[in-house]
Amino acid sequence: MQVRPGFVLEVDERTPPLLVHQGEGLTLERFPLGTRVVYPPESLPGVGDVDAAIADALEHPYNCEPLRELLRPGMRLTIAFDDLSIPLPRMRRPDVRQRIIEQVLTLAAAAGVDDVQLIAANALHRRMTAAEIEHIVGERVFRSFWPDNLYNHDAEDRDNLLHIGVTDHGEDVEINRRAAESDLLVYVNVNLVAMDGGHKSVPIGLASYNSIRHHHNSHTMVRSRSFMDHTRSEMHSSAWRMGRLLANHLKIFHVETTLNNACFPDKYSFLTRREWEWSVRDQAMAYGMSRGLSVMPSRPRRRLFHDLLADYQVTGVFAGETETTHDQTIASVHRQQLVEVDGQSDVLVVGLPYVGPYNVNSVMNPILATCMGLGYFFNMYRGKPLVRHQGAMILYHPVTPEFSQLHHPSYVDFFTEVLAESTDPATIEAKFEKQYATDPWYIHLYRTSHAYHGVHPFYMWYWAAHGMDHLGDVVWVGGDRAACARMGFRAASTLADALEMVSGTVGRDPSITYLHTPPHTMADVR
């Protein structure tokens, strides 16, 4: 295997089979000679003392007074935090959000602040269970505040939403009333990828559908040239406008954190190593796990994966004014994830793992698989996409038409009703979105159960709009043929079959890039 600059390598005669994630399974694949493999960078070391790093960030924030100087008796303090959609997989206890929240509460108590509430910023995501919240905030905080003063944000609770104003682009800014009317809002973030954080936190995480609809729409999404570069993302541009309007109304103190690439426990560390570096034990684990998973019943297989806890280390803690703080955060994310890549390929190959932001403790249905592949992994670039315009993308995932009735009830109807009529994001937005967004039953399930908002599958489909607009062909290796056809894609049994299928688009001797992930990699395509 010829080593190219950074973490980009080229398949030659000596290259072993490469590991590819395929939903709740793994496969070892031999790629054609000359395939370019983009590997994630090795994990950076974590900070030596996380608690000390948090204390230092709170005491020496960017472009802002120290947190202790913002706290006073009689004030109304609200602490909001990212929900279970990040990090993925879940972080081994203690979650860094717990450690930050505990220090914020300690400072608040010392300052005589006794009006404190904590809100999970879940936007239109499903309500977290008590156990899921407790895993994030820790037992002491949970026991002290749940459920009256620690709860999920409700984007449909009209009495507890406040319309702040309208941006100069006509965008409604409407967020959680408690947060909006606080003397200080502390937002605690985990920046797993460059898309997270900054003004995406408060104006989206604590918003209503009335506000979110301005940037989570087909027109904005198709014009977002990589969600991982907020300077070229129309979605982020909208959120930044909203955030700046909010900053004139509300004092916000951001605490942002970054993690390294240790996204699997040590037992499965072979998943984060390059294949030619595998020990004999690693090889045995890889072959044994791939074979074992292929015959394991779906329920225990899913439980095996979702019970995994990552051994992340914290690589940075940054606090203060939103934009200045976020600049530091993005630089830290780039240090861990950015890989220089020379030019685009005709074909991009990606294996999709078992979990994404919206199927934690659940199943990845075909809509979510599309969002992961064409929304998230296609957009893991800065500059240009890894695949050329009108090139092909080959994805590994079973695309099983299985849906969680608890978490994704509106997805079932979206798949069977909406996609049967059209797969075009703009068409389905115009014809169906309002019906799903305002459906009383979907709203009831979102507010009282653990269902994603009725409009959520639309947003996941729009998330893939840039990828669908850019690509000339999409093929799923191992995908359910009927499910793929319903979404306007094709399915293949093998990589060789997939390459044959896309030959009409890219020719019979295409350049191929395999984005070897997870862990996360952001390609800096030049």
Side-chain angles (χ1 to χ4, degrees):
M1 182 172 275
Q2 177 186 351
V3 179
R4 300 179 68 177
F7 299 90
V8 183
L9 301 99
E10 190 171 292
V11 171
D12 61 22
E13 294 83 354
R14 299 165 296 169
T15 303
L18 303 181
L19 184 76
V20 182
H21 287 260
Q22 196 165 18
E24 294 167 357
L26 302 170
T27 190
L28 290 157
E29 183 72 86
R30 286 199 177 274
F31 282 80
L33 296 179
T35 296
R36 183 173 63 176
V37 185
V38 180
Y39 278 96
E42 296 175 354
S43 282
L44 295 172
V47 299
D49 186 332
V50 176
D51 291 328
I54 294 169
D56 184 68
L58 300 183
E59 183 62 24
H60 302 99
Y62 291 94
N63 198 25
C64 181
E65 309 94 318
L67 179 60
R68 59 180 173 79
E69 294 183 12
L70 300 175
L71 301 169
R72 64 181 188 277
M75 74 180 302
R76 176 180 279 195
L77 170 66
T78 299
I79 303 170
F81 55 93
D82 286 341
D83 72 354
L84 51 60
S85 60
I86 45 179
L88 301 170
R90 290 183 302 159
M91 191 176 193
R92 193 177 301 281
R93 292 173 182 260
D95 189 294
V96 68
R97 285 163 291 190
Q98 170 190 334
R99 301 169 85 153
I100 294 168
I101 289 169
E102 288 178 347
Q103 289 206 31
V104 172
L105 291 173
T106 298
L107 290 171
V113 180
D114 54 16
D115 184 352
V116 182
Q117 291 191 12
L118 293 91
I119 306 174
N122 50 283
L124 302 178
H125 300 174
R126 69 170 175 87
R127 293 167 62 247
M128 289 189 288
T129 67
E132 289 167 339
I133 289 181
E134 193 268 344
H135 182 88
I136 292 175
V137 304
E139 188 273 334
R140 284 187 299 171
V141 173
F142 183 83
R143 175 167 36 86
S144 300
F145 289 88
W146 177 266
D148 295 334
N149 296 307
L150 167 61
Y151 49 88
N152 291 284
H153 167 62
D154 185 345
E156 288 290 347
D157 184 358
R158 302 309 309 173
D159 292 336
N160 286 303
L161 293 169
L162 183 65
H163 190 273
I164 306 297
V166 179
T167 71
D168 57 5
H169 282 58
E171 299 145 324
D172 296 282
V173 179
E174 184 173 60
I175 68 166
N176 182 282
R177 179 179 292 275
R178 164 69 197 203
E181 294 180 344
S182 294
D183 297 298
L184 177 65
L185 172 64
V186 175
Y187 195 99
V188 180
N189 142 288
V190 178
N191 234 93
L192 185 65
V193 293
M195 181 189 70
D196 305 324
H199 286 305
K200 187 173 176 292
S201 295
V202 177
I204 295 180
L206 294 175
S208 66
Y209 167 70
N210 183 46
S211 194
I212 292 173
R213 65 188 173 90
H214 290 290
H215 38 68
H216 279 56
N217 58 68
S218 62
H219 177 73
T220 300
M221 294 298 195
V222 78
R223 295 170 65 231
S224 292
R225 297 297 185 253
S226 181
F227 298 126
M228 301 301 156
D229 183 353
H230 76 81
T231 64
R232 302 184 70 228
S233 165
E234 287 297 320
M235 179 190 71
H236 284 82
S237 295
S238 176
W240 253 242
R241 289 190 293 269
M242 292 179 171
R244 287 166 180 166
L245 188 151
L246 267 176
N248 293 327
H249 173 88
L250 171 65
K251 181 69 173 179
I252 303 173
F253 187 93
H254 259 267
V255 188
E256 298 198 334
T257 62
T258 57
L259 307 174
N260 68 5
N261 265 347
C263 64
F264 292 106
D266 186 63
K267 179 180 178 180
Y268 301 106
S269 58
F270 73 92
L271 294 171
T272 61
R273 295 194 189 108
R274 294 181 277 270
E275 289 82 357
W276 74 95
E277 298 173 340
W278 281 353
S279 65
V280 173
R281 179 182 178 277
D282 290 336
Q283 294 176 40
M285 282 287 292
Y287 281 97
M289 193 169 180
S290 63
R291 290 180 179 272
L293 290 170
S294 67
V295 298
M296 185 182 294
S298 61
R299 182 167 293 183
R301 183 175 65 233
R302 188 165 300 150
R303 182 47 51 202
L304 168 70
F305 276 113
H306 284 278
D307 282 347
L308 291 179
L309 296 176
D311 290 323
Y312 296 116
Q313 293 186 46
V314 176
T315 56
V317 183
F318 313 96
E321 181 270 331
T322 303
E323 295 185 26
T324 315
T325 299
H326 193 59
D327 288 342
Q328 304 298 318
T329 305
I330 290 299
S332 183
V333 170
H334 286 172
R335 281 192 293 272
Q336 175 60 86
Q337 297 180 2
L338 204 61
V339 174
E340 291 187 9
V341 180
D342 292 330
Q344 298 173 299
S345 292
D346 298 314
V347 178
L348 174 62
V349 181
V350 178
L352 302 187
Y354 66 96
V355 68
Y358 317 112
N359 75 303
V360 177
N361 298 321
S362 190
V363 60
M364 186 179 290
N365 61 55
I367 310 303
L368 292 178
T370 299
C371 174
M372 277 289 288
L374 300 181
Y376 281 91
F377 284 110
F378 171 83
N379 280 283
M380 291 298 288
Y381 72 86
R382 186 175 73 170
K384 300 177 181 178
L386 274 164
V387 57
R388 66 167 173 81
H389 184 243
Q390 292 301 296
M393 191 167 184
I394 296 174
L395 301 132
Y396 282 70
H397 193 274
V399 201
T400 307
E402 178 184 358
F403 297 83
S404 167
Q405 292 289 349
L406 173 64
H407 294 149
H408 307 119
S410 66
Y411 279 71
V412 181
D413 295 333
F414 180 90
F415 184 76
T416 57
E417 175 188 345
V418 176
L419 293 182
E421 182 145 340
S422 176
T423 60
D424 175 62
T427 300
I428 65 177
E429 178 181 9
K431 186 164 186 179
F432 292 101
E433 180 184 310
K434 187 174 181 180
Q435 170 192 337
Y436 277 64
T438 59
D439 183 276
W441 179 241
Y442 292 148
I443 291 174
H444 172 75
L445 293 176
Y446 163 79
R447 298 194 64 192
T448 63
S449 183
H450 298 284
Y452 283 82
H453 194 280
V455 80
H456 203 260
F458 289 79
Y459 289 174
M460 297 303 95
W461 197 253
Y462 306 158
W463 210 262
H466 171 36
M468 289 190 284
D469 181 66
H470 180 87
L471 294 164
D473 217 337
V474 177
V475 176
W476 298 79
V477 174
D480 181 275
R481 293 184 183 277
C484 291
R486 171 56 59 92
M487 298 188 296
F489 308 127
R490 294 188 288 171
S493 300
T494 66
L495 176 60
D497 289 345
L499 289 170
E500 176 67 25
M501 293 168 68
V502 303
S503 62
T505 302
V506 298
R508 293 197 167 273
D509 188 25
S511 56
I512 303 170
T513 293
Y514 170 40
L515 182 61
H516 198 302
T517 183
H520 288 299
T521 304
M522 183 176 174
D524 191 10
V525 183
R526 306 194 174 189

